Amino acid sequence: MSAPNKSYDPVEVEALKPEEIARMRDEALAAIAAAGDLDALHEVKVAHTGDRSPLALANREIGALPPKAKADAGKRVGQARGAVNQALKARQTELEADRDARVLVEEAVDVTLPHDRVPAGARHPLTTLSERIEDVFVAMGYEVAEGPEVEAEWFNFDALNFTPDHPARAMQDTFFIEPATEDPAAGSSTAKGSAAEDQSGVVLRTHTSPVQVRALLDREPPVYVICPGRVYRTDELDATHTPVFTQVELLAIDEGLTMADLKGTLDHMVQALFGEGMSTRLRPAYFPFTEPSAEMDMECYVCRGESVGNPDRPCRTCSSEGWIELGGCGMVNPRVLTACGVDPKKYSGFAFGFGIERMLMFRHNVEDMRDMVEGDVRFTRPFGMEI
Ligand code: FA5
């Protein structure tokens, strides 16, 4: 028996010829270079490196070759496949970089462009409520009057018949900007143009009542004015007090005005603001600038008094008292009229003043006054859009 003929090594397999392998490789490289995006490259990859690709099929032929031819063909196919894979990888990196650069441009956000979701603003409920109150009186012929928040002590106190030692002037209640000049000779005259007026200190007004005085000095009677405005007191900020709050003051001076006119005006106001049939009541009180003076209460607009003595129907708004305290009022003290140069024998009148924050509290069930001053839109938003 003869030994195997090792010199016999046929290489005549068409698909493995060097020029054929080079053609397959070049076709693959050309297709890779021509792939314009990652999807196209994926198709090229499947076509030229997948199981049914020409190079993969050629690779399968190698196993049938004799050793020498197998080694040659294996090397050729291996090199061709290596070149194709390397080109694929390089093109993949290139196309990914292109895609990333394009996405950056296409999906860029221009933060300077105007957008259409700017929330429409609205005014604070304190402003809109005080304007609603003004409107009630403007409709009746009243004029809106204003005065400075930094006020002469004379307007804030003296002209309103506060004695020099009245406790409200004390540093604990009043923010003083400048103290009064001490001159015992000046006394405590409330007369306009007196030495006392000249030596008056300067305060942040503690109420809107000094606007009464300014209105009387600026106008000839009859005078009908409504005066909204910000006032200041040295109160701590808590659930029911704020050192800066809003008052609305009303002053009516004419011939023959009486307490009945005051009562009718108050009733009209609460009916206009809280509904038909509402009424007010007056309780004796003291203010230096009104005589007689009263605290004014309005009927509870929620329970209309039905909660009083009725544990089955408690009312949070009035604490089951049937009445809600509004503020102070009275007939203008003749001494104030005299200080403003108005003849008290000919003219009389009434005034009232109340706090808007407190009214906003009971009108809208606001439990804490601090919410009104903190500027959080979650508080103001439920009041809606009033421009
Ligand atoms: C006055 O200020 C008088 N000028 C009212 C007046 C006018 C009486 C005209 C007679 C004639 P009083 O100090 O009571 O009165 O304040 C009126 C209202 O301001 C109070 O009823 C209350 O609603 C409100 N108020 C007082 N202090 C504060 C505070 N710290 N924070 C919020 N509201 C306040």
Side-chain angles (χ1 to χ4, degrees), residues 160 162 206-210 212 231 233-236 238 240-250 287 289-290 293-296 325-332 350-359 369:
L160 290 168
F162 282 80
T206 57
H207 52 175
T208 39
S209 299
Q212 288 186 28
V231 302
R233 289 184 196 177
T234 55
D235 288 335
E236 294 285 338
D238 63 23
T240 53
H241 294 83
T242 144
V244 183
F245 59 102
T246 321
Q247 284 190 340
V248 170
E249 184 97 7
L250 180 132
F287 295 101
F289 41 95
T290 45
S293 302
E295 293 287 353
M296 52 187 183
E325 192 176 314
L326 263 188
C329 64
M331 298 305 291
V332 177
F350 58 85
F352 62 77
F354 54 89
I356 301 296
E357 282 77 2
R358 299 252 169 101
M359 185 179 270
M369 207 177 269

Side-chain angles (χ1 to χ4, degrees), residues 3 40 52 63 65 103 117 121 127 131 161 164 168 221 230 239 242 252 256 276-277 282 313 337 340 362 365:
R52 314 272 325 144
L65 295 178
V103 165
R117 293 180 62 95
T127 311
E131 284 185 3
N161 195 37
R230 202 171 290 147
T242 144
E276 283 299 305
L282 303 181
R313 199 188 178 293
L337 295 177
C340 299
F362 65 74
N365 287 325

Side-chain angles (χ1 to χ4, degrees), residues 79-384:
Q79 280 173 344
R81 295 177 96 188
V84 170
N85 281 332
Q86 223 176 347
L88 268 174
K89 210 169 156 194
R91 188 69 184 138
Q92 173 96 13
T93 310
E94 230 171 72
L95 290 173
E96 278 175 359
D98 282 358
R99 181 209 49 202
D100 291 349
R102 202 177 49 250
V103 165
L104 277 181
V105 172
E106 285 171 1
E107 296 181 10
V109 176
D110 183 352
V111 293
T112 65
L113 281 178
H115 67 98
D116 57 359
R117 293 180 62 95
V118 179
R123 283 171 320 146
H124 197 280
L126 283 175
T127 311
T128 48
L129 178 56
S130 87
E131 284 185 3
R132 193 162 296 166
I133 296 164
E134 281 166 41
D135 287 349
V136 171
F137 291 102
V138 168
M140 291 167 74
Y142 281 73
E143 187 190 336
V144 177
E146 287 181 338
E149 289 172 25
V150 178
E151 182 60 286
E153 196 181 348
W154 186 83
F155 283 102
N156 196 76
F157 292 124
D158 301 83
L160 290 168
N161 195 37
F162 282 80
T163 53
D165 56 352
H166 194 284
R169 294 194 201 224
M171 299 302 266
Q172 294 92 319
D173 288 333
T174 307
F175 288 110
F176 275 83
I177 305 288
E178 273 172 33
T181 14
E182 295 274 332
D183 180 0
S188 65
S189 169
T190 54
K192 176 72 183 148
S194 66
E197 185 201 345
D198 295 342
Q199 285 143 17
S200 165
V202 179
V203 298
L204 289 182
R205 68 180 178 193
T206 57
H207 52 175
T208 39
S209 299
V211 188
Q212 288 186 28
V213 181
R214 290 184 174 274
L216 286 175
L217 290 171
D218 286 351
R219 298 165 177 74
E220 289 298 319
V223 174
Y224 289 88
V225 288
I226 172 107
C227 327
R230 202 171 290 147
V231 302
Y232 303 81
R233 289 184 196 177
T234 55
D235 288 335
E236 294 285 338
L237 181 62
D238 63 23
T240 53
H241 294 83
T242 144
V244 183
F245 59 102
T246 321
Q247 284 190 340
V248 170
E249 184 97 7
L250 180 132
L251 173 72
I253 301 292
D254 208 336
E255 290 182 44
L257 290 182
T258 68
M259 207 92 180
D261 298 300
L262 167 62
K263 178 78 168 65
T265 307
L266 288 172
D267 285 350
H268 174 76
M269 180 181 76
V270 295
Q271 283 166 17
L273 293 174
F274 294 92
E276 283 299 305
M278 291 287 303
S279 66
T280 56
R281 74 173 181 189
L282 303 181
R283 286 176 290 115
Y286 172 76
F287 295 101
F289 41 95
T290 45
E291 183 58 39
S293 302
E295 293 287 353
M296 52 187 183
D297 300 337
M298 59 174 262
E299 195 183 348
C300 177
Y301 68 102
V302 176
C303 72
R304 300 271 172 129
E306 283 177 22
S307 66
V308 183
N310 185 354
D312 297 337
R313 199 188 178 293
C315 178
R316 281 174 60 198
T317 307
C318 65
S319 308
S320 301
E321 288 184 5
W323 295 94
I324 302 167
E325 192 176 314
L326 263 188
C329 64
M331 298 305 291
V332 177
N333 192 317
R335 291 178 69 110
V336 174
L337 295 177
T338 305
C340 299
V342 176
D343 180 1
K345 292 199 188 75
K346 185 168 178 202
Y347 293 103
S348 61
F350 58 85
F352 62 77
F354 54 89
I356 301 296
E357 282 77 2
R358 299 252 169 101
M359 185 179 270
L360 195 66
M361 282 183 97
F362 65 74
R363 200 166 187 258
H364 295 279
N365 287 325
V366 179
E367 283 179 358
D368 196 323
M369 207 177 269
R370 283 169 287 205
D371 292 337
M372 295 178 202
V373 297
E374 276 167 1
D376 190 328
V377 290
R378 285 172 298 181
F379 169 74
T380 46
R381 201 176 281 136
F383 289 92

